């Protein structure tokens, strides 16, 4: 089996598998996979994608049947055993808490603000590979969610913005589930917020199969359940938090801006915390992406260049400059699989009346690439804070 940055099935090399067979991989050209343009058949051949997986943009809340979203990737991408999973995530969170940001993360080079961050967290960027690989980085992001739960008594909903890896979508579609199952407990879906967004006639609804097969949303749900459980244990409070997953498709910059403007009042609400799901650079021949430093750049190793490339984008995210981030993606074609959700979120920040401070808190690579035979995937965690909410 090909060694990957994640246990098979792998997010990192865009392999898709059945729920119970880790060796029955389906290959997808990453240039198509990262844009969500092609689906893959069970034989591994590419097929033209069909937008029929979701309801039309004029969907009404009564036009779909709700369901319980199963933990489709449990037992492969992460443990299906509640105790084992809880132990793993507990270790990651404890290590991140003790590390207080990590020795391996540097403030992106162009960021001038080096003062301690203030305010309450209201959003984070978190990776979505198998927990063995990206779980340690995700822990830094999810410490912010725990802080938000403990400090913001108004918090009621966690919105998860995630990309589409294997189904075409030119726009945004929400989960049609009424609850999301995880080994650590079920999460209720915020159906009221879903109905509000459906009333704009700009959002679709995912079919159950598409919802369950998309890993980039699912890899957030066990962490969310874990953080809620830990907050309940620590305080004795029964937090009634709900979630709303939103898939962001391969949208043009103008549509990202429009969705950001539309979502801004919702994501800026005192009762909402946003999780943006994304890995960063996918480097290697299997990803059809192997840029290397030029002779004029003072960078010796490939993995150093990958970090340099990632942190150019991370800097623009911290500066909350969606237009410049779009220019960066056009210039470098960095394979950031969650670039569309990130862009929508950045545009929502630009439209917000609140003042946000975005900081990256951890950065890691699955491997240190040194030759063109190597491959790696980058993981980065970021936290957004706002001034203390009134009340």
């Amino acid at each position: 089996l090909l060694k990957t940055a994640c246990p098979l099935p792998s997010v990192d090399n865009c392999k898709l598998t059945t729920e119970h067979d880790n060796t029955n991989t389906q290959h997808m050209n990453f240039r198509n996979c990262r844009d969500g343009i092609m689906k893959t058949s069970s034989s591994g051949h590419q097929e033209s994608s069909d937008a029929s997986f979701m309801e039309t943009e004029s969907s009404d809340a009564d036009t779909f049947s709700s369901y319980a979203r199963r933990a489709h990737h449990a037992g492969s991408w992460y443990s299906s055993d509640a105790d084992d999973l809880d132990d793993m995530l507990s270790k990651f969170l404890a290590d991140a808490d003790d590390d207080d940001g990590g020795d391996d993360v540097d403030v992106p080079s162009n960021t001038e603000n080096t003062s301690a961050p203030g305010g309450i967290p209201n959003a984070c960027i978190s990776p979505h590979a198998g927990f063995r690989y990206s779980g340690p980085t995700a822990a830094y992001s999810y410490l912010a969610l725990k802080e938000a739960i403990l400090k913001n008594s108004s918090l009621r909903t966690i919105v998860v913005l995630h990309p589409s890896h294997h189904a075409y979508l030119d726009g945004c579609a929400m989960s049609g589930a009424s609850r999301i199952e995880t080994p650590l407990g079920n999460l209720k879906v915020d159906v009221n917020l879903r109905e509000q967004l459906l009333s704009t006639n700009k959002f679709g609804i995912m079919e159950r199969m598409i919802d369950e097969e998309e890993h980039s949303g699912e890899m957030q749900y066990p962490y969310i359940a874990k953080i809620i459980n830990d907050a309940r244990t620590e305080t004795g409070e029964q937090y009634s938090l709900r979630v709303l997953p939103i898939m962001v498709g391969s949208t043009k910059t103008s549509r990202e801006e429009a969705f950001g403007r539309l979502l801004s009042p919702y994501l800026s609400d005192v009762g909402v915390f946003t999780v943006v799901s994304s890995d960063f650079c996918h480097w290697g021949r299997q990803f059809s992406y192997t840029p290397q430093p030029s002779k004029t750049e003072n960078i010796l190793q490939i993995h150093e260049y990958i970090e340099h490339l990632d942190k150019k984008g991370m800097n623009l995210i911290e500066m909350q400059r969606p237009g410049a981030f779009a220019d960066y993606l056009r210039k470098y074609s960095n394979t950031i699989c969650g670039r569309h959700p990130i862009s929508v979120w950045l545009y929502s920040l630009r439209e917000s009346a609140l003042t946000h401070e975005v900081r990256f808190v951890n950065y890691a690579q699955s491997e240190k690439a040194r030759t063109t035979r190597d491959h790696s995937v980058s993981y980065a965690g970021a936290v957004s804070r706002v001034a203390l909410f009134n009340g």
Side-chain angles (χ1 to χ4, degrees), residues 88-106 117 121 123-127 131 133-148 220 223 227 273 275 359-364 379-385:
M88 171 180 272
L89 299 188
S90 291
K91 182 182 185 306
F92 292 157
L93 290 164
D95 289 347
D97 195 28
D98 291 341
D99 199 38
D100 193 27
D103 296 332
D104 296 333
V105 63
D106 297 320
C124 70
I125 296 175
S126 177
F131 283 152
Y133 297 90
S134 70
T137 292
Y140 288 88
S141 300
Y142 276 100
L143 286 175
L145 174 60
K146 183 176 181 181
E147 181 183 347
Q220 310 306 326
Y223 251 121
I227 292 298
F273 186 98
V275 175
R359 297 275 189 94
F360 277 88
V361 291
N362 190 259
Y363 176 82
Y379 311 121
V383 175
S384 170
R385 293 175 178 270

Side-chain angles (χ1 to χ4, degrees), residues 182-287:
T182 86
L184 301 180
N186 297 335
L187 302 169
K188 293 182 179 180
V189 172
D190 190 333
V191 295
N192 291 329
L193 179 55
R194 182 171 63 199
E195 290 176 358
Q196 289 180 55
L197 293 177
L198 280 174
S199 69
T200 68
N201 295 325
K202 300 297 183 182
F203 292 84
I205 294 293
M206 289 179 272
E207 284 188 357
R208 179 174 184 169
M209 180 186 70
I210 296 299
D211 190 359
E212 292 183 339
E213 289 184 354
E214 178 55 53
H215 60 269
S216 63
E218 181 170 332
M219 298 310 295
Q220 310 306 326
Y221 307 144
Y223 251 121
I224 293 172
K226 166 66 174 171
I227 292 298
I228 294 173
N229 291 343
D230 285 358
R232 287 171 174 167
T233 299
E234 184 172 324
T235 66
E237 298 288 337
Q238 291 300 311
Y239 299 101
S240 57
L241 296 172
R242 297 176 184 268
V243 299
L244 181 63
I246 303 176
M247 176 185 284
V248 181
S250 181
T251 52
K252 295 181 180 179
T253 301
S254 59
R255 297 205 74 192
E256 292 170 349
E257 183 175 5
F259 275 109
R261 187 182 305 112
L262 190 157
L263 285 170
S264 183
Y266 300 97
L267 302 187
S268 298
D269 188 284
V270 63
V272 173
F273 186 98
T274 304
V275 175
V276 185
S277 180
S278 182
D279 294 334
F280 276 69
C281 183
H282 299 61
W283 193 95
R285 291 174 179 171
Q286 67 198 75
F287 305 122

Side-chain angles (χ1 to χ4, degrees), residues 33-75:
C33 176
R34 71 186 191 211
D35 287 330
I37 293 173
M38 301 292 285
K39 293 190 296 186
T40 305
S41 68
S42 58
S43 63
H45 296 106
Q46 292 177 337
E47 298 175 340
S48 297
S49 187
D50 187 346
S52 63
F53 73 88
M54 71 174 196
E55 302 291 336
T56 64
E57 289 188 347
S58 61
S59 296
D60 182 80
D62 296 329
T63 64
F64 65 93
S65 298
S66 194
Y67 52 87
R69 187 199 182 281
R70 297 166 294 189
H72 186 76
H73 298 85

